[in-house]
């Protein structure tokens, strides 16, 4: 049962997350609390555990210790060394990855209606109508019958976002969704994400695009060494970082991009 009496303001609370791959310690006691209105951008060095964090949050990875609650309800816990995941909560989270994960043998429309019909038992007509409306909204209305191979990278990512939205997520996770795109296609995907942001969709975004981070984030979290080093508004973390380690990273990233 959803426990609405606890934790009214926190949408997600991650406490003491630990995760290793063999001898590689990736998350080393990570604590993050996300409020309902937050759009969190996670930045940090390559190999620092950003993707691992999102995959854990999506319930795709086991953890060694720690717990995550969602809307005050236990979501991921470790019991007797085993990761226990509330699958109902997991279904309320959507994720889009760097590399397109569309089903290649299905049309755009079929990609969108598959999960709502198969998993949620929604009627085909209703799912198709919702899918078409989402595609129209994202400027893809005319491509409903196309197959993924016939789309540009930017179109594929917009379809991937639309597909995730079909399940009415309460939280969206984006892992470097524009990194594999040609530069001229990045803006159309970022535009869709900004539109979701304007509609108050809670999001966790991993990006190396600091300009975009500044535009979309309500909070920026710098993760390194498996812990949160700095957490604050974008003006602080990207503009005037408090911690030396954040400052070094920001200087390096802006230097590379300049
Ligand atoms: N499935 C896996 N098996 C073994 N090691 C892994 C696995 N996934 C990630 N790792 C290791 O965990 C560490 C963190 O990886 P992760 O992909 O989370 O980093 P990241 O911050 O997303 O990096 P990038 O910015 O390059 O995407 C790395 O050392 C990586 O090699
Ligand atoms: Mg990554």
């Amino acid at each position: 049962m959803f426990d609405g009496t606890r934790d009214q303001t926190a949408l997600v609370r991650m406490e003491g997350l630990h995760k290793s791959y063999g001898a590689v310690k990736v998350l080393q006691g990570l604590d993050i609390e996300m409020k309902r209105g937050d759009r969190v951008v996670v930045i940090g060095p390559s190999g620092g555990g950003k993707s691992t964090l999102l995959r854990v949050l999506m319930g795709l990875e086991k953890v060694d210790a720690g717990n995550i609650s969602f809307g005050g309800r236990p979501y991921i816990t470790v019991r007797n060394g085993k990761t226990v995941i509330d699958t109902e909560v997991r279904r309320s989270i959507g994720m889009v990855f760097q590399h397109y994960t569309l089903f290649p043998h299905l049309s755009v429309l079929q990609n969108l209606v598959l999960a709502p019909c198969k998993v949620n038992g929604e009627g085909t007509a209703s799912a198709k109508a919702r899918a078409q409306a989402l595609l129209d909204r994202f400027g893809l209305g005319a491509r409903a019958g196309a197959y993924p191979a016939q789309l540009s990278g930017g179109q594929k990512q917009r379809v991937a976002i639309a597909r995730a939205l079909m399940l009415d997520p309460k939280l969206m996770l984006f892992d470097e969704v524009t990194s594999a795109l040609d530069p001229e296609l990045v803006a159309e995907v970022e535009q869709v994400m900004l539109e979701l942001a304007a509609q108050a969709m809670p999001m966790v975004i991993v990006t190396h695009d600091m300009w975009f981070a500044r535009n979309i984030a309500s909070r920026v979290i710098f993760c390194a060494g498996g812990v949160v080093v700095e957490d604050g508004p974008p003006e602080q973390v990207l503009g005037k970082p408090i911690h030396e380690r954040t400052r070094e990273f920001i200087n390096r990233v802006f230097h590379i991009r300049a």
Side-chain angles (χ1 to χ4, degrees), residues 3-258:
D3 182 0
T5 58
R6 284 170 56 200
D7 222 351
Q8 289 289 353
T9 52
L11 178 65
V12 183
R13 178 173 287 163
M14 305 176 225
E15 287 174 315
L17 292 180
H18 285 261
K19 162 99 190 149
S20 298
Y21 291 107
V24 183
K25 291 181 176 162
V26 183
L27 307 181
Q28 301 198 63
L30 198 79
D31 298 312
I32 295 176
E33 188 179 299
M34 190 178 165
K35 297 196 171 51
R36 288 180 192 280
D38 277 345
R39 287 182 307 283
V40 174
V41 168
V42 181
I43 59 170
S46 180
K50 303 179 299 296
S51 294
T52 304
L53 168 65
L54 289 198
R55 291 174 56 79
V56 162
L57 191 48
M58 189 64 213
L60 298 171
E61 296 277 356
K62 294 175 182 157
V63 288
D64 304 322
N67 64 78
I68 305 179
S69 64
F70 193 95
R73 162 177 172 165
Y75 167 34
I76 295 177
T77 50
V78 181
R79 273 184 233 143
N80 301 325
K82 279 193 74 175
T83 305
V84 182
I85 298 173
D86 182 330
T87 52
E88 196 186 337
V89 174
R90 174 161 63 186
R91 275 200 295 276
S92 68
I93 304 176
M95 184 161 177
V96 182
F97 301 84
Q98 176 175 357
H99 294 288
Y100 333 110
T101 47
L102 300 175
F103 301 114
H105 59 292
L106 297 181
S107 72
V108 166
L109 196 74
Q110 287 165 338
N111 263 279
L112 263 66
V113 302
L114 185 72
C117 294
K118 283 254 153 63
V119 180
N120 292 352
E122 183 175 359
T124 312
S126 144
K128 280 188 175 170
R130 289 198 305 118
Q132 190 62 52
L134 263 177
L135 292 171
D136 290 344
R137 186 175 140 201
F138 290 172
L140 293 164
R143 307 313 310 272
Y147 285 83
Q150 299 169 316
L151 302 177
S152 73
Q155 289 173 332
K156 281 187 220 176
Q157 284 303 61
R158 282 183 285 153
V159 172
I161 295 170
R163 189 176 60 171
L165 293 175
M166 285 294 290
L167 293 171
D168 194 20
K170 304 294 176 278
L171 171 68
M172 282 291 293
L173 312 179
F174 296 93
D175 191 0
E176 296 201 41
V177 294
T178 60
S179 299
L181 298 180
D182 292 337
E184 70 269 23
L185 301 179
V186 169
E188 64 188 46
V189 176
E190 291 183 343
Q191 193 50 47
V192 164
M193 293 167 70
L194 287 165
E195 197 201 307
L196 290 180
Q199 297 188 347
M201 171 67 77
M203 307 180 188
V204 183
I205 300 161
V206 173
T207 181
H208 288 288
D209 183 338
M210 297 299 146
W211 174 86
F212 182 57
R214 202 184 285 259
N215 267 305
I216 200 160
S218 64
R219 265 169 74 194
V220 177
I221 294 181
F222 173 64
C223 281
V227 295
V228 172
V229 174
E230 187 156 347
D231 177 352
E235 312 82 66
Q236 175 201 316
V237 182
L238 301 175
K240 285 187 166 141
I242 293 168
H243 293 267
E244 183 57 32
R245 208 157 170 199
T246 319
R247 214 171 301 145
E248 276 171 19
F249 176 80
I250 297 290
N251 284 342
R252 195 151 28 93
V253 176
F254 277 115
H255 181 70
I256 290 166
R257 292 182 60 81

